[in-house]
Amino acid sequence: ADELCIGADLVLSLGGDGTMLRAVDLAAPEDVPVLGVNLGQLGYLTEVEPSGVRVALKRFLAGSYQLEERMRLDAVVTDADGERRSSALNEVVVEKSEMGHTVRLEVGLDGRPFTSYVADGLILATPTGSTAYSLSAGGPIINPAVASLILTPVCPHTLTHRPLIVPATAEIEVVLTSKDDGAMATLDGQVGVALTQGDTVEIQTSEHLTRLIRFPESSYYEVLREKLKWGDS
């Protein structure tokens, strides 16, 4: 599967947002653009409905499209066994994996201590991910053209902890300090790594971008209004 996109001109994703996340994960290392066809429910990341596939492919072959580049995250999880590297388009989440528990996290920004969280978890999201899990946890919506990262705590015990927007150049380190096991780092809801006390997760912007096929008539704000049902009575 890792070699699927080598030499490809286009990746066609048939499904919902979960399928798109897997498709862009495969395509990003090879800088291959992705066209999403919505066969799911929300289809926030997709571009066309099934009825428009033929026309969309003809327009792609004719060069009548726009290439939209989206920021990605690189995450390095360090535990007793060494380092594991992964990437994500939407978010990296460090959270509890057992009901009734919280996690204690020490967070550093750009090599300096920042704050500690006692919460159900912490979401580190891109602007693309601002309309995913981070939004459900009370985070802001950020246009993908704005280079930034979002730290969104999930049910923090300290009520003054609020979502924080930092520059896209920020380097973030999260250390699990909880004494009990029962925590996990999850990337885009698809790749999960169990964490124990003292394990670290380092996050920064990836050198690879996700490239999405868009057509001139599409608008980020129209998609936002349509998918989030804004203005419906």
Side-chain angles (χ1 to χ4, degrees), residues 7-226:
D9 295 318
L10 175 70
V11 169
L12 193 64
S13 174
L14 305 173
D17 287 331
T19 306
M20 274 292 289
L21 288 171
R22 179 58 178 155
V24 298
D25 189 46
L26 292 171
E30 301 300 325
D31 295 326
V32 179
V34 180
L35 173 63
V37 181
N38 183 31
L39 300 181
Q41 296 181 350
L42 184 61
Y44 197 89
L45 293 172
T46 57
E47 179 68 3
V48 298
E49 297 299 317
S51 60
V53 174
R54 290 181 180 273
V55 173
L57 288 175
K58 288 180 180 179
R59 295 177 69 177
F60 171 77
L61 293 172
S64 180
Y65 65 90
Q66 297 172 344
L67 204 56
E68 185 173 286
E69 295 182 333
R70 297 286 184 94
M71 176 196 311
R72 295 180 61 83
L73 298 177
D74 281 340
V76 179
V77 178
T78 304
D79 56 21
D81 296 324
E83 295 182 350
R84 293 181 239 186
R85 299 176 179 270
S86 299
S87 68
L89 172 63
N90 275 349
E91 75 274 308
V92 177
V93 183
V94 182
E95 61 185 341
K96 67 178 185 179
S97 57
E98 296 182 3
M99 293 184 62
H101 287 234
T102 58
V103 290
R104 183 179 294 274
L105 306 170
E106 295 290 339
V107 177
L109 284 172
D110 295 330
R112 296 185 178 184
F114 170 58
T115 191
S116 59
Y117 293 96
V118 178
D120 284 359
L122 177 65
I123 305 166
L124 303 119
T126 64
T128 300
S130 71
T131 50
Y133 189 8
S134 177
L135 180 62
S136 299
I141 295 175
I142 299 180
N143 188 306
V146 179
S148 58
L149 301 176
I150 315 161
L151 284 73
T152 305
V154 182
C155 299
H157 279 210
T158 301
L159 298 182
T160 52
H161 272 140
R162 290 291 183 264
L164 174 69
I165 300 171
V166 299
T169 54
E171 296 181 0
I172 306 168
E173 181 184 69
V174 182
V175 182
L176 177 68
T177 59
S178 306
K179 292 183 179 180
D180 298 328
D181 296 342
M184 179 168 287
T186 307
L187 290 86
D188 281 348
Q190 302 197 17
V191 178
V193 179
L195 301 175
T196 59
Q197 186 180 22
D199 291 352
T200 66
V201 184
E202 297 173 275
I203 299 101
Q204 62 182 5
T205 302
S206 175
E207 65 178 9
H208 295 293
L209 298 170
T210 282
R211 291 176 164 82
L212 301 176
I213 297 296
R214 299 300 194 203
F215 297 110
E217 66 273 14
S218 64
S219 161
Y220 174 77
Y221 300 110
E222 288 181 4
V223 172
L224 199 66
R225 185 176 67 244
E226 176 187 351

